[in-house]
Amino acid sequence: MSSAKYEVVNTSSKLIVLSADAVSPEVYAEIVPALETIVADAKASTTRDELVTQIEALEAVVATIEAARA
C-alpha cells in the first residue's frame, strides 16, 4: 500500500506544478486545492478504502485537466 500511497502523492504534487502551464488560471485555481487535499489525505490514509477514495479524486482532477485542454 505504501507504494500506491507514494504514487498518489507524487502524481498529485507533479500535477500541481505541470498543470500551471497546461490550463487556464481559472481552472488551475480550481484544481490546486483539490490536489493539495488529495496529497494531504493520501499521506494520512491508513486503509485501502481511504487510498481508493484518493485515487478516485485524482482521476476526477485529471478528467478536469483533460477537459480544459480539449
Side-chain angles (χ1 to χ4, degrees):
M1 187 167 114
S2 64
S3 64
K5 188 187 240 188
Y6 168 81
E7 288 301 326
V8 170
V9 171
N10 190 42
T11 301
S12 299
S13 298
K14 285 182 179 179
L15 282 174
I16 290 170
V17 174
L18 297 174
S19 62
D21 295 330
V23 296
S24 70
E26 295 81 15
V27 173
Y28 186 73
E30 174 188 335
I31 63 171
V32 167
L35 289 168
E36 290 172 342
T37 299
I38 292 167
V39 168
D41 290 350
K43 285 180 179 180
S45 65
T46 58
T47 67
R48 182 182 182 280
D49 290 340
E50 290 172 334
L51 191 55
V52 167
T53 299
Q54 298 318 310
I55 292 169
E56 291 168 349
L58 181 56
E59 289 172 341
V61 171
V62 169
T64 300
I65 293 169
E66 289 175 344
R69 295 186 68 204

